[in-house]
């Protein structure tokens, strides 16, 4: 399978590499020749055309090679209908279109025998034209005609770019796409044009919803607005408060800035100063601003920090045209002079003919009706009825009341301001009213203290603990921390106030299977230990028994040397040694007979008895008997054959002591001869 896939992939890659950037197309519209198209008249006269493109030359060489490419038309009949209906010839190219080129068009007779296209025989060449042309890329066909010596050729041609190639020379590649790698279309110059909702070099960056915060919002598709962590809202322009924040706001994520009337770490403590002290007067509404401060909203007609000062509405001289003002509760009334009316006597019923201007004022008629007075210096008013005083220019600042007392004026300042013109705000923190290292913030006629941990009140003089207003749930213990109260929760609870319970893991007893396995393992270990001890004891016993056997074997060998009395007969010695004089040394085979356990040999002491009884007189006889016995012994041993049927069954006697007449007998054959 892999052998089949690899050639296919190579073929696909080569096809992509060889893809051209454009194509030159030429269509033969008509062709005529005065000397005839075919060399011999025939019904089946067939022709074809050859197109050759070369680089631009001053003198065109029609011979190959065709540097820009060449192509042949199909073979068709030489009649005009077939020629005009022939398909355009296509010359693809893989380079930037140069616009200027050399064009060679040849007309050929097809082989009469086979009708094949062949340009080898020059006799089949009907006509040839060669020209230099300039052509820009475009869909429009350029018409052209060539008059030769004996032929006329009419043709049209154009150059078009391949799919996804653009520009004046077909060199700009741009393939529209709408997938993960881009979302764009292509213009005529090959430039990418992003689809709606996309931006960036490759149009892969989505454009978020209108108004979405560029800093705090993101999007994966056009028109979306997903907020980053810590931000919320439709446009991701609202910070997210701390999850436990109750009555607070934030400027940055996870903050909890308490609103007026609330305090504590999570703004859940009500600092309602208004309810406890009722500072606002004359029906004013009170608003807590936190940590013992408040704000009074006065009813109309009253002013001051606590709305304790009644406002005189006539101080602003609302009555015009000489009207007199009368102060009322939250209102005033004007008594207008003759010829004026209205709330402020601002409407005049007089004209300049009535002489309304006083103190030398000039009356001017208004186009819309009524009049106006131009007052001389030192006078003012709608009718120049008032002499200008020191307070006319409103010299007092910050809402102070101006009093003209003749040669000078006096400003009556509002609480919290001082100076000749009430321009200076009184520093209420100058006397250091905040105690216990509290920080003072100056206000208008008042101050605010920011108390340190453990103190409270207007001037931080009240000893207080943050835990007083921060109860811990479920038996938690509150501790004062520099950041505020902190709860230490008992086991099984968690949270800022120990308000959340935690599921306790249950400890399960081991199942019966585990206990049985444990017991089996212990028993197996004990059995193994017992077997090891028994094996050690057995090995020690075997070693001890082996030492005893080696000692017994050594003792038996020594005793056999002693009990081997046959040497007294055949093993040489003196006349008193019990041996036969002149006898040779004992045979090695006879000694081995005594040492081989279980051998088929029987030892007898009768020869020794004969020697003792006979004495010297029996020496010659014993020599002969010994020689006879030895000869028989050697003969039987040489043949290495024993007759088991003639063996006597004897009792085995332990070799503790070998007496003179004792026997060491096993299942053996008797070699000694009784006499």
């Amino acid at each position: 399978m892999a052998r089949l896939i690899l050639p296919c992939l190579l073929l696909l890659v080569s096809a992509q590499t060889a893809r051209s950037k454009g194509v030159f197309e030429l269509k033969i519209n008509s062709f005529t020749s005065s000397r005839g198209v075919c060399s011999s008249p025939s019904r089946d006269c067939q022709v074809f055309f050859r197109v050759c493109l070369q680089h631009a030359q001053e003198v065109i060489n029609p011979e190959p090679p065709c540097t820009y490419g060449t192509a042949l038309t199909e073979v068709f009949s030489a009649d005009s209908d077939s020629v005009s209906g022939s398909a355009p010839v296509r010359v693809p190219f893989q380079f930037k279109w140069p616009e200027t080129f050399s064009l060679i068009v040849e007309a050929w007779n097809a082989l009469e025998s086979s009708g094949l296209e062949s340009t080898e025989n020059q006799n089949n060449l009907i006509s040839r034209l060669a020209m230099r042309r300039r052509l820009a890329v475009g869909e429009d066909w350029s018409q052209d005609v060539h008059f030769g010596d004996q032929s006329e050729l009419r043709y049209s041609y154009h150059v078009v770019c391949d799919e996804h190639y653009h520009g004046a020379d077909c060199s700009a590649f741009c393939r529209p796409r709408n997938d993960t790698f881009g979302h764009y279309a292509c213009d005529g110059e090959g430039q990418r044009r992003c689809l709606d909702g996309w931006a960036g070099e490759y149009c892969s960056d989505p454009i978020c919803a209108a108004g979405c915060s560029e800093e705090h919002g993101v999007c994966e598709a056009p028109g979306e607005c997903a907020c980053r962590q810590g931000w919320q809202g439709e446009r991701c322009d609202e910070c997210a408060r701390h999850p436990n924040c109750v009555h607070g706001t934030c400027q940055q994520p996870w903050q909890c800035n308490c609103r007026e009337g609330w305090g504590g770490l999570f703004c859940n403590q009500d600092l309602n100063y208004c309810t406890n002290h009722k500072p606002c007067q004359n029906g004013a509404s009170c608003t807590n601003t936190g940590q013992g401060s408040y704000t009074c909203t006065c009813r109309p007609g009253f002013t001051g920090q606590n709305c304790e000062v009644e406002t005189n509405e006539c101080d602003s001289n609302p009555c015009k045209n000489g009207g007199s003002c009368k102060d009322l509760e939250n209102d005033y009334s004007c008594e207008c002079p003759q010829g004026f009316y209205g709330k402020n006597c601002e409407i005049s019923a007089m004209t300049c003919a009535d002489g309304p201007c006083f103190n030398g004022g000039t009356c001017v008629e208004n186009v819309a009706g009524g009049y106006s007075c131009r007052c001389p210096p030192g006078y003012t008013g709608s009718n120049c009825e008032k002499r200008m005083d020191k307070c006319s220019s409103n010299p007092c600042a910050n809402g102070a009341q101006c009093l003209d007392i003749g040669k000078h004026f006096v400003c009556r300042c509002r609480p919290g301001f001082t100076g000749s013109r009430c321009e200076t705000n009184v520093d209420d923190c100058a006397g250091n009213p905040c105690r216990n290292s509290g920080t003072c913030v100056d206000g208008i006629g008042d101050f605010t203290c920011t108390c340190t941990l453990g103190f409270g009140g207007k001037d931080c003089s009240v000893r207080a603990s943050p835990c007083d207003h921060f109860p811990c749930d479920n038996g938690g213990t509150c501790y004062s921390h520099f950041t505020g109260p902190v709860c230490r929760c008992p086991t099984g609870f968690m949270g800022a106030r120990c308000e959340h319970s935690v599921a306790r893991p249950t400890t399960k007893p081991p199942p019966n299977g585990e206990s049985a396995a444990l017991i089996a393992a212990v028993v197996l270990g004990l059995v193994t230990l017992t077997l090891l001890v028994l094996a050690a004891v057995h090995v020690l016993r075997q070693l001890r028994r082996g030492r005893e056997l080696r000692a017994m074997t050594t003792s038996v060998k020594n005793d056999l040397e002693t009990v081997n009395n046959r040497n007294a007969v055949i093993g040489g010695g003196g006349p008193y040694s019990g041996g036969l004089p002149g006898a040779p040394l004992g045979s090695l085979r006879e000694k081995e007979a005594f040492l081989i356990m279980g051998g088929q040999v029987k030892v007898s002491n009768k020869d020794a008895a004969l020697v003792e009884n006979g004495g010297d007189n029996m020496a010659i006889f014993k020599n002969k008997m010994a020689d006879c016995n030895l000869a028989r012994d050697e003969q039987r041993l040489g043949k290495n054959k024993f007759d088991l049927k003639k063996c006597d069954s004897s009792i085995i006697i332990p070799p503790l002591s070998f007496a003179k007449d004792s026997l060491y007998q096993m299942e053996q054959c008797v070699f000694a001869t009784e006499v």
Side-chain angles (χ1 to χ4, degrees):
M1 187 64 182
R3 296 180 179 178
L4 294 177
I5 293 176
L6 184 60
C8 294
L9 292 177
L10 293 176
L11 182 60
L12 179 60
V13 171
S14 62
Q16 293 293 330
T17 305
R19 183 174 56 180
S20 63
K21 294 184 178 180
V23 61
F24 174 87
E25 292 185 328
L26 184 143
K27 178 175 175 56
I28 305 297
N29 297 327
S30 65
F31 176 73
T32 57
S33 177
S34 59
R35 65 184 182 88
V37 174
C38 295
S39 57
S40 60
S42 174
R43 286 184 179 179
D44 299 330
C45 178
Q46 293 181 330
V47 297
F48 66 92
F49 290 85
R50 174 176 174 269
V51 177
C52 175
L53 292 180
Q54 296 182 356
H55 56 281
Q57 307 173 58
E58 293 295 335
V59 178
I60 301 174
N61 181 13
E63 298 298 329
C66 301
T67 54
Y68 287 174
T70 183
L72 303 175
T73 65
E74 60 183 2
V75 176
F76 47 82
S77 299
D79 58 279
S80 59
D81 293 338
S82 299
V83 171
S84 61
S86 62
V89 61
R90 297 168 55 88
V91 181
F93 57 88
Q94 301 178 15
F95 47 84
K96 293 183 179 180
W97 178 247
E99 293 190 359
T100 304
F101 60 97
S102 297
L103 174 63
I104 301 170
V105 181
E106 298 173 347
W108 292 78
N109 279 322
L111 297 178
E112 296 181 0
S113 59
S114 59
L116 298 178
E117 301 168 339
S118 176
T119 58
E120 296 180 357
N121 188 356
Q122 293 295 322
N123 295 327
N124 293 331
L125 178 63
I126 302 173
S127 66
R128 172 186 290 163
L129 63 92
M131 67 207 80
R132 182 177 179 181
R133 289 290 183 265
R134 184 181 184 87
L135 179 63
V137 174
E139 294 288 343
D140 297 336
W141 291 84
S142 297
Q143 306 290 333
D144 203 350
V145 59
H146 176 76
F147 297 99
D149 295 337
Q150 299 179 355
S151 63
E152 176 184 329
L153 175 65
R154 297 182 181 272
Y155 59 95
S156 56
Y157 55 95
H158 70 170
V159 174
V160 293
C161 297
D162 281 353
E163 186 181 11
H164 307 318
Y165 286 90
H166 310 271
D169 54 3
C170 298
S171 62
F173 179 78
C174 180
R175 183 180 64 183
R177 67 190 316 156
N178 188 13
D179 51 26
T180 307
F181 300 101
H183 308 270
Y184 55 85
C186 302
D187 60 10
E189 298 299 325
Q191 300 296 323
R192 288 182 288 271
R193 294 291 181 261
C194 295
L195 302 180
D196 293 340
W198 297 93
E201 182 180 0
Y202 293 97
C203 305
S204 57
D205 302 328
I207 300 176
C208 299
C212 185
S213 174
E214 296 182 0
E215 183 179 1
H216 309 304
V218 295
C219 58
E220 296 182 357
E224 294 181 351
C225 188
C227 300
R228 300 184 187 275
Q229 189 174 12
W231 296 91
Q232 60 185 1
E234 184 179 359
R235 302 305 176 198
C236 301
D237 52 359
E238 302 175 8
C239 59
R241 301 180 303 168
H242 191 278
N244 295 329
C245 188
V246 180
H247 299 285
T249 59
C250 64
Q251 299 296 329
Q252 294 294 328
W254 320 126
Q255 289 182 346
C256 188
N257 303 325
C258 297
R259 295 190 180 96
E260 295 180 353
W262 298 94
L265 184 61
F266 300 115
C267 303
N268 52 358
Q269 301 176 16
D270 187 5
L271 305 178
N272 198 345
Y273 188 88
C274 294
T275 302
N276 298 330
H277 300 85
K278 297 180 175 58
C280 299
Q281 304 174 18
N282 298 312
S285 61
C286 181
T287 303
N288 293 290
T289 56
Q291 296 188 1
S293 61
Y294 63 93
T295 300
C296 293
T297 304
C298 302
R299 293 174 55 204
F302 297 93
T303 186
Q305 182 180 2
N306 296 327
C307 304
E308 73 279 6
V309 180
E310 183 178 358
T311 303
N312 187 355
E313 284 78 12
C314 292
D315 290 343
S316 60
N317 298 320
C319 299
K320 300 180 179 180
N321 298 312
S324 59
C325 180
K326 182 179 180 181
D327 184 28
L328 301 176
E329 184 177 355
N330 193 28
D331 200 2
Y332 66 93
S333 64
C334 292
E335 294 181 359
C336 301
Q338 185 179 3
F340 294 94
Y341 60 94
K343 173 67 176 176
N344 298 321
C345 304
E346 74 278 6
I347 302 175
S348 175
M350 300 175 67
T351 62
C352 289
D354 299 325
C357 299
F358 300 102
N359 299 314
T362 303
C363 183
V364 179
E365 295 283 352
N366 294 330
V367 179
Y371 68 94
S372 61
C373 293
R374 295 179 181 176
C375 301
Y379 294 93
T380 185
S382 59
N383 293 319
C384 305
E385 74 280 3
K386 292 183 180 181
R387 182 183 296 274
M388 294 183 64
D389 56 11
K390 306 296 182 183
C391 295
S392 299
S393 60
N394 295 322
C396 300
N398 297 312
Q401 182 182 4
C402 181
L403 300 177
D404 188 357
I405 57 176
K407 293 183 180 181
H408 58 86
F409 63 92
V410 176
C411 293
R412 182 184 294 174
C413 301
R414 293 176 56 200
F417 296 95
T418 187
S420 60
R421 297 176 181 270
C422 304
E423 73 278 4
T424 304
N425 181 15
V426 177
D427 186 4
D428 298 293
C429 294
N432 296 323
C434 300
R435 302 172 62 185
N436 298 310
S437 301
T439 303
C440 182
V441 179
D442 183 30
I444 299 176
D446 194 10
F447 64 90
T448 302
C449 290
T450 303
C451 302
T452 57
L453 185 65
F455 295 94
K458 175 68 176 176
D459 56 355
C460 303
S461 60
V462 180
R463 183 74 179 182
S465 174
C467 293
D468 294 341
H469 304 283
F470 194 82
C472 299
D473 300 335
N474 299 309
T477 304
C478 181
Y479 294 93
S480 297
H481 192 258
F482 69 91
T483 58
V486 178
C487 287
R488 180 180 180 182
C489 302
T491 305
F493 296 93
M494 64 178 294
R497 293 176 176 268
C498 306
E499 68 274 17
H500 302 298
S501 62
V502 181
R504 298 182 180 178
T506 58
T507 303
K508 296 181 179 180
N512 296 332
E514 296 181 3
S515 300
L518 181 61
I519 295 173
V522 172
V523 172
L524 182 61
L526 293 175
V527 171
T528 303
L529 181 61
T530 304
L531 293 176
L532 290 175
V533 172
L534 293 176
V537 171
H538 178 71
V539 170
L540 292 175
R541 292 183 63 184
Q542 290 294 329
L543 292 175
R544 182 177 179 183
R545 187 175 179 182
R547 287 196 295 270
E548 292 177 353
L549 290 176
R550 285 195 295 273
M552 183 182 294
T553 302
T554 303
S555 177
V556 168
K557 289 177 67 177
N558 294 335
D559 291 342
L560 286 176
E561 290 292 337
T562 304
V563 80
N564 192 6
N565 50 17
R566 192 162 185 182
N567 288 334
V569 178
I570 61 174
Y576 304 103
S577 63
L580 296 176
L585 294 175
S587 174
L588 179 61
R589 295 180 182 177
E590 291 187 356
K591 286 189 177 182
E592 290 179 353
F594 288 102
L595 296 178
I596 297 175
M597 299 298 296
Q600 297 178 355
V601 179
K602 183 175 181 181
V603 181
S604 175
N605 292 331
K606 291 183 178 182
D607 291 342
L610 290 175
V611 172
E612 289 181 356
N613 293 331
D616 296 333
N617 297 327
M618 297 296 293
I620 298 175
F621 177 77
K622 289 293 182 179
N623 281 333
K624 294 181 178 180
M625 182 186 67
D627 292 338
C628 181
N629 287 338
L630 289 176
R632 292 180 180 177
D633 290 342
E634 292 177 359
Q635 183 177 1
R636 291 179 181 179
L637 291 173
K639 294 181 179 180
N640 198 17
K641 293 181 181 180
F642 299 97
D643 191 358
L644 296 179
K645 295 181 180 180
K646 296 181 180 180
C647 293
D648 296 336
S649 180
S650 303
I651 299 174
I652 299 174
I653 301 173
L656 298 178
S657 61
F658 292 86
K660 193 173 183 180
D661 297 329
S662 63
L663 294 176
Y664 182 79
Q665 298 179 354
M666 292 175 289
E667 290 188 358
Q668 316 169 2
C669 293
V670 177
F671 278 76
T673 304
E674 296 182 0
V675 179

